[in-house]
């Protein structure tokens, strides 16, 4: 679904109403995250719907290395030949050489995500490993995006700003499902740091779109909505 010019949102219920985004800046396609399923079918279906092919995808950018965002990575890399990009800290997890840092199994709100919290606590939910080709850091530019370092949910969590479209891509720093909030405390490694990271989004005071990892994107007046949860 096109939520703004050249911004296509794809979601699935599995993995916590997880979402991924295809960006078309006229020069090629950029994919942010890859949904939960191993076969990448949600992304492939959207590509076909908009009349594009997997090889049109030039970069696959990962917000961080949790299964819900990495599911389709290996298949989509194979189908597209795209350059896979992430923060340095997440590289070994994506490549399958290190497991994602576990969280406590003690339930935290919102309870709708407890199954996912328990999965991360027990080290379940393996993804098909994939090598990262290019490491990103704050201030880098990739495709149409500027890279923002937003550690807290994981140390290598990244967010992105598409200036031309006034769109923020926040990964798991902010969630809109099951409620609009600065992330999911039970799956976030450092909640104070995550909140400080989220507060950087207030600097983007003209943001129109907020696209998050879990839940529907906000397509209008995003800056105003963000201020409501970041007092
Ligand atoms: Zn996550
Ligand atoms: Zn997530």
């Amino acid at each position: 679904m096109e939520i703004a010019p050249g911004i296509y949102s794809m979601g699935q219920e599995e993995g916590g109403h997880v979402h991924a985004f295809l960006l078309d800046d006229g020069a090629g396609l950029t994919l942010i995250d890859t949904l939960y399923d191993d076969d990448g079918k949600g992304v492939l279906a959207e590509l076909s719907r908009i009349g594009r092919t997997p090889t049109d995808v030039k970069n696959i950018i990962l917000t961080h290395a949790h299964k819900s965002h990495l599911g389709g990575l290996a298949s989509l890399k194979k189908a597209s030949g795209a350059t896979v990009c992430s923060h340095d800290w997440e590289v070994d997890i994506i490549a399958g050489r290190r497991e994602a840092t576990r969280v406590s199994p003690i339930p935290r709100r919102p309870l709708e995500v407890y199954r996912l919290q328990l999965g991360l606590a027990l080290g379940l939910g393996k993804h098909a490993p994939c090598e990262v080709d290019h490491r990103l850091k704050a201030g880098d530019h990739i495709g149409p995006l500027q890279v923002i370092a937003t550690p807290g949910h994981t140390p290598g969590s990244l967010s992105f700003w598409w200036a031309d479209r006034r769109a923020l891509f926040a990964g798991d720093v902010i969630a809109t499902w099951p409620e609009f909030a600065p992330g999911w405390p039970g799956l976030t490694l450092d909640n104070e740091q995550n909140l400080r990271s989220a507060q950087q989004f207030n600097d983007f005071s003209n943001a129109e779109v907020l696209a998050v990892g879990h839940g529907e994107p906000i397509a209008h007046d995003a800056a105003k909505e963000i201020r409501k949860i970041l007092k």
Side-chain angles (χ1 to χ4, degrees), residues 31 34 38-40 43-44 54-55 57-60 62 70-85 94 128-134:
L31 175 64
T34 64
D38 291 340
D39 54 15
V43 175
L44 295 171
T55 53
V57 179
K58 302 305 173 203
N59 294 299
I60 301 175
L62 300 161
L70 301 178
L73 175 63
S75 333
L76 291 166
K77 159 84 176 172
K78 200 167 168 211
S80 64
T83 302
V84 174
C85 312
I94 297 164
C130 183
E131 292 296 332
V132 171
D133 304 302
H134 181 64

Side-chain angles (χ1 to χ4, degrees), residues 63 146-150 157-161 168-173 201:
T63 58
Q146 175 194 330
V147 179
I148 311 164
T150 48
S157 283
L158 295 176
S159 298
F160 307 96
W161 171 242
L168 273 170
F169 299 87
D172 286 4
V173 179
F201 298 148

Side-chain angles (χ1 to χ4, degrees), residues 86-105:
S86 82
H87 186 281
D88 194 39
W89 196 88
E90 314 282 329
V91 167
D92 283 356
I93 305 173
I94 297 164
R97 290 187 288 272
R98 178 161 58 93
E99 78 167 19
T101 307
R102 297 194 186 192
V103 295
S104 164

Side-chain angles (χ1 to χ4, degrees), residues 12 14 34-42 67 70-73 75:
Q12 68 171 125
E14 192 67 36
T34 64
L35 299 177
Y36 181 90
D37 289 335
D38 291 340
D39 54 15
K41 66 174 185 250
K67 158 74 187 177
L70 301 178
L73 175 63
S75 333

Side-chain angles (χ1 to χ4, degrees), residues 3-57:
I3 58 167
I7 304 179
Y8 300 90
S9 169
M10 298 154 288
Q12 68 171 125
E13 197 173 325
E14 192 67 36
H17 293 259
V18 70
H19 280 68
F21 301 91
L22 262 175
L23 315 181
D24 183 1
D25 65 352
L29 301 179
T30 298
L31 175 64
I32 300 178
D33 289 343
T34 64
L35 299 177
Y36 181 90
D37 289 335
D38 291 340
D39 54 15
K41 66 174 185 250
V43 175
L44 295 171
E46 186 70 3
L47 281 167
S48 150
R49 195 188 67 79
I50 65 174
R52 306 297 290 267
T53 63
T55 53
D56 292 333
V57 179

Side-chain angles (χ1 to χ4, degrees), residues 63-69 120 153-154 157 171-172 184 187 214:
T63 58
H64 65 294
H66 280 156
K67 158 74 187 177
S68 298
H69 311 271
L120 190 53
H153 181 70
T154 66
S157 283
D172 286 4
W184 292 343
L187 285 98
H214 299 277

